[in-house]
Short mmCIF file of all heavy atoms in Angstrom, two decimals:
data_model
loop_
_atom_site.label_atom_id
_atom_site.label_comp_id
_atom_site.label_asym_id
_atom_site.label_seq_id
_atom_site.Cartn_x
_atom_site.Cartn_y
_atom_site.Cartn_z
N ILE U 14 -18.35 -5.67 -15.83
CA ILE U 14 -16.93 -5.29 -15.86
C ILE U 14 -16.58 -4.78 -17.26
O ILE U 14 -15.95 -3.72 -17.41
CB ILE U 14 -16.02 -6.47 -15.48
CG1 ILE U 14 -16.32 -6.96 -14.06
CG2 ILE U 14 -14.55 -6.12 -15.66
CD1 ILE U 14 -15.95 -6.02 -12.94
N VAL U 15 -16.98 -5.52 -18.30
CA VAL U 15 -16.69 -5.11 -19.68
C VAL U 15 -17.32 -3.75 -19.96
O VAL U 15 -16.68 -2.86 -20.54
CB VAL U 15 -17.17 -6.17 -20.69
CG1 VAL U 15 -17.08 -5.66 -22.12
CG2 VAL U 15 -16.37 -7.46 -20.51
N ASP U 16 -18.56 -3.55 -19.55
CA ASP U 16 -19.24 -2.27 -19.77
C ASP U 16 -18.51 -1.12 -19.06
O ASP U 16 -18.38 -0.03 -19.62
CB ASP U 16 -20.69 -2.32 -19.28
CG ASP U 16 -21.57 -3.21 -20.14
OD1 ASP U 16 -21.15 -3.58 -21.28
OD2 ASP U 16 -22.68 -3.56 -19.67
N LEU U 17 -18.03 -1.38 -17.86
CA LEU U 17 -17.31 -0.34 -17.11
C LEU U 17 -16.03 0.05 -17.84
O LEU U 17 -15.73 1.24 -17.99
CB LEU U 17 -16.99 -0.84 -15.70
CG LEU U 17 -16.25 0.15 -14.79
CD1 LEU U 17 -17.14 1.34 -14.46
CD2 LEU U 17 -15.80 -0.55 -13.52
N VAL U 18 -15.31 -0.93 -18.33
CA VAL U 18 -14.05 -0.65 -19.04
C VAL U 18 -14.34 0.04 -20.38
O VAL U 18 -13.64 0.97 -20.77
CB VAL U 18 -13.24 -1.94 -19.23
CG1 VAL U 18 -12.02 -1.70 -20.10
CG2 VAL U 18 -12.82 -2.50 -17.88
N ARG U 19 -15.37 -0.38 -21.06
CA ARG U 19 -15.72 0.25 -22.34
C ARG U 19 -16.18 1.68 -22.14
O ARG U 19 -15.99 2.53 -23.00
CB ARG U 19 -16.85 -0.52 -23.03
CG ARG U 19 -16.40 -1.75 -23.76
CD ARG U 19 -17.54 -2.24 -24.64
NE ARG U 19 -17.34 -3.56 -25.13
CZ ARG U 19 -16.62 -3.87 -26.20
NH1 ARG U 19 -16.03 -2.92 -26.87
NH2 ARG U 19 -16.51 -5.11 -26.58
N GLY U 20 -16.77 1.98 -21.01
CA GLY U 20 -17.29 3.31 -20.75
C GLY U 20 -16.23 4.35 -20.45
O GLY U 20 -16.50 5.54 -20.44
N ARG U 21 -15.01 3.91 -20.20
CA ARG U 21 -13.93 4.85 -19.89
C ARG U 21 -13.34 5.38 -21.19
O ARG U 21 -12.97 4.61 -22.07
CB ARG U 21 -12.82 4.15 -19.09
CG ARG U 21 -13.29 3.47 -17.82
CD ARG U 21 -13.74 4.43 -16.79
NE ARG U 21 -12.61 5.24 -16.34
CZ ARG U 21 -12.67 6.04 -15.31
NH1 ARG U 21 -13.78 6.16 -14.63
NH2 ARG U 21 -11.62 6.73 -14.95
N ASN U 22 -13.25 6.66 -21.34
CA ASN U 22 -12.70 7.27 -22.57
C ASN U 22 -11.27 6.81 -22.81
O ASN U 22 -10.41 6.97 -21.97
CB ASN U 22 -12.74 8.80 -22.47
CG ASN U 22 -14.14 9.34 -22.52
OD1 ASN U 22 -15.04 8.68 -23.05
ND2 ASN U 22 -14.35 10.50 -21.95
N GLY U 23 -11.08 6.22 -23.99
CA GLY U 23 -9.75 5.84 -24.40
C GLY U 23 -9.22 4.55 -23.82
O GLY U 23 -8.16 4.09 -24.21
N LEU U 24 -9.91 3.94 -22.86
CA LEU U 24 -9.38 2.73 -22.25
C LEU U 24 -9.59 1.52 -23.15
O LEU U 24 -8.67 0.74 -23.35
CB LEU U 24 -10.02 2.49 -20.88
CG LEU U 24 -9.45 1.33 -20.08
CD1 LEU U 24 -7.96 1.51 -19.84
CD2 LEU U 24 -10.17 1.20 -18.76
N LEU U 25 -10.77 1.36 -23.70
CA LEU U 25 -11.06 0.23 -24.55
C LEU U 25 -11.99 0.69 -25.67
O LEU U 25 -13.08 1.19 -25.40
CB LEU U 25 -11.74 -0.87 -23.72
CG LEU U 25 -11.90 -2.23 -24.36
CD1 LEU U 25 -10.54 -2.86 -24.65
CD2 LEU U 25 -12.67 -3.15 -23.41
N PRO U 26 -11.54 0.55 -26.92
CA PRO U 26 -12.40 1.00 -28.03
C PRO U 26 -13.75 0.27 -28.01
O PRO U 26 -13.82 -0.91 -27.70
CB PRO U 26 -11.59 0.61 -29.27
CG PRO U 26 -10.20 0.40 -28.81
CD PRO U 26 -10.28 -0.02 -27.38
N ARG U 27 -14.80 0.99 -28.33
CA ARG U 27 -16.15 0.41 -28.34
C ARG U 27 -16.27 -0.76 -29.31
O ARG U 27 -17.05 -1.66 -29.08
CB ARG U 27 -17.17 1.48 -28.68
CG ARG U 27 -17.28 2.52 -27.58
CD ARG U 27 -18.74 2.78 -27.27
NE ARG U 27 -18.83 3.68 -26.14
CZ ARG U 27 -19.19 3.28 -24.93
NH1 ARG U 27 -19.48 2.04 -24.70
NH2 ARG U 27 -19.26 4.15 -23.94
N ASN U 28 -15.48 -0.75 -30.39
CA ASN U 28 -15.59 -1.81 -31.38
C ASN U 28 -14.62 -2.97 -31.12
O ASN U 28 -14.55 -3.90 -31.91
CB ASN U 28 -15.38 -1.25 -32.80
CG ASN U 28 -14.00 -0.66 -32.97
OD1 ASN U 28 -13.27 -0.47 -32.00
ND2 ASN U 28 -13.64 -0.34 -34.20
N ALA U 29 -13.86 -2.93 -30.03
CA ALA U 29 -12.90 -3.99 -29.71
C ALA U 29 -13.64 -5.27 -29.35
O ALA U 29 -14.65 -5.25 -28.64
CB ALA U 29 -12.00 -3.56 -28.56
N LYS U 30 -13.11 -6.38 -29.84
CA LYS U 30 -13.69 -7.68 -29.50
C LYS U 30 -13.10 -8.11 -28.16
O LYS U 30 -11.88 -8.25 -28.02
CB LYS U 30 -13.36 -8.69 -30.59
CG LYS U 30 -14.05 -10.02 -30.38
CD LYS U 30 -13.81 -10.95 -31.56
CE LYS U 30 -14.49 -12.27 -31.25
NZ LYS U 30 -14.24 -13.24 -32.32
N VAL U 31 -13.97 -8.33 -27.18
CA VAL U 31 -13.55 -8.62 -25.81
C VAL U 31 -14.16 -9.93 -25.34
O VAL U 31 -15.33 -10.21 -25.59
CB VAL U 31 -14.00 -7.49 -24.86
CG1 VAL U 31 -13.58 -7.78 -23.43
CG2 VAL U 31 -13.45 -6.16 -25.30
N ARG U 32 -13.33 -10.72 -24.65
CA ARG U 32 -13.79 -11.96 -24.02
C ARG U 32 -13.20 -12.01 -22.61
O ARG U 32 -12.03 -11.68 -22.42
CB ARG U 32 -13.31 -13.16 -24.82
CG ARG U 32 -13.77 -14.51 -24.26
CD ARG U 32 -13.24 -15.68 -25.09
NE ARG U 32 -11.80 -15.86 -24.96
CZ ARG U 32 -11.20 -16.49 -23.95
NH1 ARG U 32 -11.90 -16.97 -22.94
NH2 ARG U 32 -9.88 -16.62 -23.92
N VAL U 33 -14.01 -12.38 -21.64
CA VAL U 33 -13.51 -12.50 -20.27
C VAL U 33 -12.73 -13.79 -20.16
O VAL U 33 -13.26 -14.87 -20.41
CB VAL U 33 -14.67 -12.45 -19.24
CG1 VAL U 33 -14.12 -12.67 -17.84
CG2 VAL U 33 -15.41 -11.13 -19.34
N ARG U 34 -11.46 -13.67 -19.82
CA ARG U 34 -10.61 -14.85 -19.65
C ARG U 34 -10.72 -15.39 -18.23
O ARG U 34 -10.81 -16.59 -18.02
CB ARG U 34 -9.15 -14.49 -19.93
CG ARG U 34 -8.20 -15.66 -19.67
CD ARG U 34 -6.75 -15.27 -19.67
NE ARG U 34 -6.30 -14.94 -21.01
CZ ARG U 34 -5.03 -14.72 -21.31
NH1 ARG U 34 -4.10 -14.77 -20.38
NH2 ARG U 34 -4.68 -14.42 -22.54
N THR U 35 -10.68 -14.49 -17.25
CA THR U 35 -10.69 -14.89 -15.84
C THR U 35 -11.57 -13.93 -15.06
O THR U 35 -11.46 -12.72 -15.22
CB THR U 35 -9.26 -14.81 -15.24
OG1 THR U 35 -8.38 -15.59 -16.03
CG2 THR U 35 -9.23 -15.30 -13.80
N GLY U 36 -12.42 -14.50 -14.21
CA GLY U 36 -13.15 -13.68 -13.26
C GLY U 36 -14.54 -13.27 -13.71
O GLY U 36 -15.06 -13.82 -14.67
N PRO U 37 -15.04 -12.31 -12.99
CA PRO U 37 -14.37 -11.60 -11.90
C PRO U 37 -14.19 -12.49 -10.66
O PRO U 37 -15.04 -13.30 -10.34
CB PRO U 37 -15.29 -10.42 -11.60
CG PRO U 37 -16.61 -10.77 -12.20
CD PRO U 37 -16.36 -11.76 -13.27
N LEU U 38 -13.06 -12.29 -10.01
CA LEU U 38 -12.75 -12.95 -8.74
C LEU U 38 -12.89 -11.91 -7.64
O LEU U 38 -12.49 -10.76 -7.82
CB LEU U 38 -11.34 -13.53 -8.77
CG LEU U 38 -11.08 -14.55 -9.89
CD1 LEU U 38 -9.62 -14.94 -9.94
CD2 LEU U 38 -11.96 -15.77 -9.72
N CYS U 39 -13.45 -12.32 -6.51
CA CYS U 39 -13.77 -11.37 -5.45
C CYS U 39 -12.99 -11.64 -4.17
O CYS U 39 -12.72 -12.78 -3.82
CB CYS U 39 -15.26 -11.45 -5.11
SG CYS U 39 -16.33 -10.85 -6.41
N ALA U 40 -12.67 -10.58 -3.48
CA ALA U 40 -12.13 -10.60 -2.12
C ALA U 40 -12.67 -9.34 -1.47
O ALA U 40 -12.40 -8.23 -1.94
CB ALA U 40 -10.62 -10.63 -2.12
N ALA U 41 -13.46 -9.52 -0.42
CA ALA U 41 -14.16 -8.40 0.22
C ALA U 41 -14.98 -7.69 -0.85
O ALA U 41 -15.72 -8.34 -1.58
CB ALA U 41 -13.19 -7.48 0.95
N ASP U 42 -14.85 -6.37 -0.99
CA ASP U 42 -15.63 -5.64 -2.00
C ASP U 42 -14.77 -5.30 -3.22
O ASP U 42 -15.10 -4.42 -4.00
CB ASP U 42 -16.25 -4.38 -1.40
CG ASP U 42 -15.21 -3.42 -0.82
OD1 ASP U 42 -14.04 -3.80 -0.71
OD2 ASP U 42 -15.60 -2.29 -0.48
N TRP U 43 -13.67 -6.02 -3.42
CA TRP U 43 -12.76 -5.83 -4.54
C TRP U 43 -12.94 -6.97 -5.55
O TRP U 43 -13.30 -8.09 -5.17
CB TRP U 43 -11.31 -5.84 -4.06
CG TRP U 43 -10.92 -4.65 -3.24
CD1 TRP U 43 -11.37 -4.33 -1.99
CD2 TRP U 43 -10.00 -3.64 -3.59
NE1 TRP U 43 -10.77 -3.18 -1.55
CE2 TRP U 43 -9.93 -2.74 -2.52
CE3 TRP U 43 -9.22 -3.41 -4.72
CZ2 TRP U 43 -9.11 -1.62 -2.54
CZ3 TRP U 43 -8.40 -2.30 -4.74
CH2 TRP U 43 -8.35 -1.41 -3.66
N HIS U 44 -12.62 -6.68 -6.83
CA HIS U 44 -12.77 -7.67 -7.89
C HIS U 44 -11.57 -7.61 -8.83
O HIS U 44 -11.04 -6.54 -9.11
CB HIS U 44 -14.04 -7.39 -8.71
CG HIS U 44 -15.17 -6.88 -7.87
ND1 HIS U 44 -15.53 -5.55 -7.85
CD2 HIS U 44 -15.99 -7.51 -7.00
CE1 HIS U 44 -16.54 -5.39 -7.01
NE2 HIS U 44 -16.83 -6.57 -6.48
N PHE U 45 -11.18 -8.78 -9.34
CA PHE U 45 -10.08 -8.89 -10.30
C PHE U 45 -10.58 -9.66 -11.50
O PHE U 45 -11.16 -10.74 -11.37
CB PHE U 45 -8.89 -9.62 -9.67
CG PHE U 45 -7.72 -9.81 -10.60
CD1 PHE U 45 -6.78 -8.81 -10.76
CD2 PHE U 45 -7.57 -11.00 -11.30
CE1 PHE U 45 -5.70 -8.98 -11.62
CE2 PHE U 45 -6.49 -11.18 -12.16
CZ PHE U 45 -5.56 -10.17 -12.32
N THR U 46 -10.36 -9.10 -12.70
CA THR U 46 -10.82 -9.71 -13.94
C THR U 46 -9.72 -9.58 -14.99
O THR U 46 -9.01 -8.58 -15.02
CB THR U 46 -12.09 -8.99 -14.46
OG1 THR U 46 -13.05 -8.92 -13.40
CG2 THR U 46 -12.71 -9.70 -15.64
N VAL U 47 -9.59 -10.59 -15.84
CA VAL U 47 -8.66 -10.51 -16.97
C VAL U 47 -9.49 -10.63 -18.24
O VAL U 47 -10.29 -11.55 -18.39
CB VAL U 47 -7.59 -11.62 -16.92
CG1 VAL U 47 -6.67 -11.52 -18.13
CG2 VAL U 47 -6.79 -11.55 -15.64
N LEU U 48 -9.30 -9.65 -19.14
CA LEU U 48 -10.02 -9.62 -20.41
C LEU U 48 -9.05 -9.91 -21.55
O LEU U 48 -7.93 -9.40 -21.56
CB LEU U 48 -10.64 -8.24 -20.63
CG LEU U 48 -11.57 -7.70 -19.54
CD1 LEU U 48 -12.01 -6.28 -19.89
CD2 LEU U 48 -12.76 -8.62 -19.35
N ASP U 49 -9.51 -10.72 -22.51
CA ASP U 49 -8.79 -10.89 -23.77
C ASP U 49 -9.38 -9.90 -24.74
O ASP U 49 -10.59 -9.89 -24.98
CB ASP U 49 -8.96 -12.31 -24.31
CG ASP U 49 -8.08 -13.31 -23.59
OD1 ASP U 49 -6.98 -12.93 -23.14
OD2 ASP U 49 -8.50 -14.48 -23.46
N VAL U 50 -8.53 -9.03 -25.27
CA VAL U 50 -8.97 -8.02 -26.23
C VAL U 50 -8.22 -8.30 -27.53
O VAL U 50 -6.98 -8.26 -27.54
CB VAL U 50 -8.66 -6.59 -25.72
CG1 VAL U 50 -9.17 -5.56 -26.70
CG2 VAL U 50 -9.25 -6.38 -24.33
N THR U 51 -8.95 -8.59 -28.59
CA THR U 51 -8.33 -8.92 -29.87
C THR U 51 -7.38 -7.81 -30.31
O THR U 51 -7.74 -6.64 -30.32
CB THR U 51 -9.42 -9.14 -30.94
OG1 THR U 51 -10.29 -10.18 -30.49
CG2 THR U 51 -8.81 -9.53 -32.28
N GLY U 52 -6.14 -8.23 -30.61
CA GLY U 52 -5.14 -7.29 -31.07
C GLY U 52 -4.34 -6.62 -29.97
O GLY U 52 -3.47 -5.80 -30.25
N TYR U 53 -4.64 -6.98 -28.72
CA TYR U 53 -3.95 -6.36 -27.58
C TYR U 53 -3.50 -7.44 -26.60
O TYR U 53 -3.96 -8.57 -26.65
CB TYR U 53 -4.87 -5.38 -26.82
CG TYR U 53 -5.32 -4.21 -27.66
CD1 TYR U 53 -6.48 -4.27 -28.42
CD2 TYR U 53 -4.58 -3.03 -27.68
CE1 TYR U 53 -6.90 -3.20 -29.19
CE2 TYR U 53 -4.99 -1.95 -28.45
CZ TYR U 53 -6.15 -2.04 -29.19
OH TYR U 53 -6.55 -0.97 -29.95
N GLU U 54 -2.63 -7.05 -25.69
CA GLU U 54 -2.25 -7.95 -24.60
C GLU U 54 -3.45 -8.10 -23.67
O GLU U 54 -4.34 -7.25 -23.65
CB GLU U 54 -1.08 -7.37 -23.81
CG GLU U 54 0.22 -7.31 -24.59
CD GLU U 54 1.35 -6.76 -23.74
OE1 GLU U 54 1.65 -7.37 -22.70
OE2 GLU U 54 1.92 -5.74 -24.13
N PRO U 55 -3.49 -9.18 -22.86
CA PRO U 55 -4.59 -9.32 -21.90
C PRO U 55 -4.68 -8.08 -21.01
O PRO U 55 -3.67 -7.52 -20.59
CB PRO U 55 -4.21 -10.56 -21.08
CG PRO U 55 -3.34 -11.34 -22.01
CD PRO U 55 -2.57 -10.31 -22.81
N LEU U 56 -5.90 -7.65 -20.76
CA LEU U 56 -6.15 -6.46 -19.96
C LEU U 56 -6.61 -6.90 -18.57
O LEU U 56 -7.63 -7.57 -18.43
CB LEU U 56 -7.23 -5.61 -20.62
CG LEU U 56 -7.61 -4.30 -19.93
CD1 LEU U 56 -6.43 -3.32 -19.98
CD2 LEU U 56 -8.84 -3.70 -20.59
N GLN U 57 -5.83 -6.56 -17.55
CA GLN U 57 -6.21 -6.85 -16.18
C GLN U 57 -7.03 -5.68 -15.66
O GLN U 57 -6.71 -4.52 -15.93
CB GLN U 57 -4.97 -7.04 -15.31
CG GLN U 57 -4.09 -8.19 -15.74
CD GLN U 57 -2.82 -8.25 -14.93
OE1 GLN U 57 -2.71 -7.70 -13.84
NE2 GLN U 57 -1.82 -8.92 -15.47
N VAL U 58 -8.07 -6.00 -14.90
CA VAL U 58 -8.98 -4.97 -14.41
C VAL U 58 -9.21 -5.20 -12.91
O VAL U 58 -9.55 -6.31 -12.50
CB VAL U 58 -10.33 -5.01 -15.16
CG1 VAL U 58 -11.26 -3.91 -14.65
CG2 VAL U 58 -10.13 -4.91 -16.66
N VAL U 59 -9.01 -4.16 -12.12
CA VAL U 59 -9.33 -4.22 -10.69
C VAL U 59 -10.44 -3.21 -10.44
O VAL U 59 -10.33 -2.04 -10.81
CB VAL U 59 -8.10 -3.89 -9.81
CG1 VAL U 59 -8.48 -3.89 -8.33
CG2 VAL U 59 -6.97 -4.89 -10.08
N THR U 60 -11.53 -3.70 -9.84
CA THR U 60 -12.67 -2.84 -9.52
C THR U 60 -13.01 -3.00 -8.05
O THR U 60 -12.53 -3.91 -7.37
CB THR U 60 -13.89 -3.22 -10.39
OG1 THR U 60 -14.18 -4.61 -10.21
CG2 THR U 60 -13.65 -2.92 -11.85
N ARG U 61 -13.87 -2.09 -7.60
CA ARG U 61 -14.28 -2.11 -6.20
C ARG U 61 -15.71 -1.63 -6.10
O ARG U 61 -16.11 -0.69 -6.79
CB ARG U 61 -13.36 -1.19 -5.40
CG ARG U 61 -13.56 -1.30 -3.92
CD ARG U 61 -12.49 -0.52 -3.18
NE ARG U 61 -12.67 -0.74 -1.76
CZ ARG U 61 -12.04 -0.10 -0.82
NH1 ARG U 61 -11.14 0.81 -1.16
NH2 ARG U 61 -12.27 -0.34 0.44
N ASP U 62 -16.48 -2.29 -5.26
CA ASP U 62 -17.86 -1.89 -5.02
C ASP U 62 -17.86 -0.96 -3.80
O ASP U 62 -17.53 -1.37 -2.70
CB ASP U 62 -18.73 -3.11 -4.74
CG ASP U 62 -20.20 -2.77 -4.59
OD1 ASP U 62 -20.52 -1.58 -4.41
OD2 ASP U 62 -21.03 -3.69 -4.65
N GLN U 63 -18.17 0.30 -4.05
CA GLN U 63 -18.20 1.27 -2.95
C GLN U 63 -19.59 1.87 -2.88
O GLN U 63 -20.03 2.56 -3.81
CB GLN U 63 -17.15 2.37 -3.15
CG GLN U 63 -15.75 1.82 -3.00
CD GLN U 63 -14.70 2.91 -3.11
OE1 GLN U 63 -14.66 3.65 -4.08
NE2 GLN U 63 -13.83 2.97 -2.12
N ALA U 64 -20.28 1.55 -1.81
CA ALA U 64 -21.64 2.05 -1.56
C ALA U 64 -22.57 1.70 -2.73
O ALA U 64 -23.37 2.51 -3.16
CB ALA U 64 -21.63 3.55 -1.29
N GLY U 65 -22.42 0.47 -3.24
CA GLY U 65 -23.30 0.02 -4.31
C GLY U 65 -22.92 0.48 -5.70
O GLY U 65 -23.60 0.16 -6.67
N THR U 66 -21.81 1.20 -5.83
CA THR U 66 -21.36 1.68 -7.13
C THR U 66 -20.06 0.99 -7.49
O THR U 66 -19.11 0.98 -6.69
CB THR U 66 -21.13 3.21 -7.10
OG1 THR U 66 -22.36 3.84 -6.75
CG2 THR U 66 -20.65 3.73 -8.43
N LEU U 67 -20.01 0.40 -8.68
CA LEU U 67 -18.80 -0.26 -9.15
C LEU U 67 -17.83 0.80 -9.63
O LEU U 67 -18.16 1.62 -10.49
CB LEU U 67 -19.14 -1.24 -10.28
CG LEU U 67 -18.00 -2.15 -10.72
CD1 LEU U 67 -17.54 -3.06 -9.58
CD2 LEU U 67 -18.43 -2.98 -11.92
N ARG U 68 -16.62 0.80 -9.06
CA ARG U 68 -15.60 1.79 -9.40
C ARG U 68 -14.39 1.10 -9.98
O ARG U 68 -13.93 0.09 -9.45
CB ARG U 68 -15.20 2.56 -8.14
CG ARG U 68 -14.11 3.61 -8.38
CD ARG U 68 -13.78 4.41 -7.14
NE ARG U 68 -13.03 3.68 -6.15
CZ ARG U 68 -11.70 3.56 -6.13
NH1 ARG U 68 -10.98 4.10 -7.09
NH2 ARG U 68 -11.10 2.89 -5.18
N LEU U 69 -13.88 1.64 -11.08
CA LEU U 69 -12.65 1.13 -11.67
C LEU U 69 -11.48 1.63 -10.82
O LEU U 69 -11.28 2.84 -10.68
CB LEU U 69 -12.52 1.63 -13.11
CG LEU U 69 -11.28 1.14 -13.86
CD1 LEU U 69 -11.33 -0.36 -14.09
CD2 LEU U 69 -11.16 1.88 -15.18
N VAL U 70 -10.73 0.70 -10.26
CA VAL U 70 -9.55 1.06 -9.47
C VAL U 70 -8.37 1.27 -10.41
O VAL U 70 -7.69 2.28 -10.38
CB VAL U 70 -9.23 0.00 -8.40
CG1 VAL U 70 -7.93 0.31 -7.67
CG2 VAL U 70 -10.39 -0.15 -7.42
#
Side-chain angles (χ1 to χ4, degrees):
I14 299 292
V15 171
D16 290 346
L17 181 67
V18 174
R19 280 193 194 276
R21 305 292 295 190
N22 291 336
L24 186 58
L25 191 64
R27 292 227 175 254
N28 62 349
K30 186 174 178 183
V31 179
R32 181 181 69 81
V33 176
R34 176 191 289 189
T35 305
L38 302 174
C39 292
D42 59 350
W43 291 68
H44 324 103
F45 179 85
T46 309
V47 179
L48 305 176
D49 282 329
V50 183
T51 303
Y53 297 90
E54 292 182 60
L56 181 67
Q57 298 175 20
V58 181
V59 177
T60 55
R61 189 172 184 189
D62 184 345
Q63 292 183 306
T66 300
L67 189 63
R68 179 177 73 86
L69 181 66
V70 175

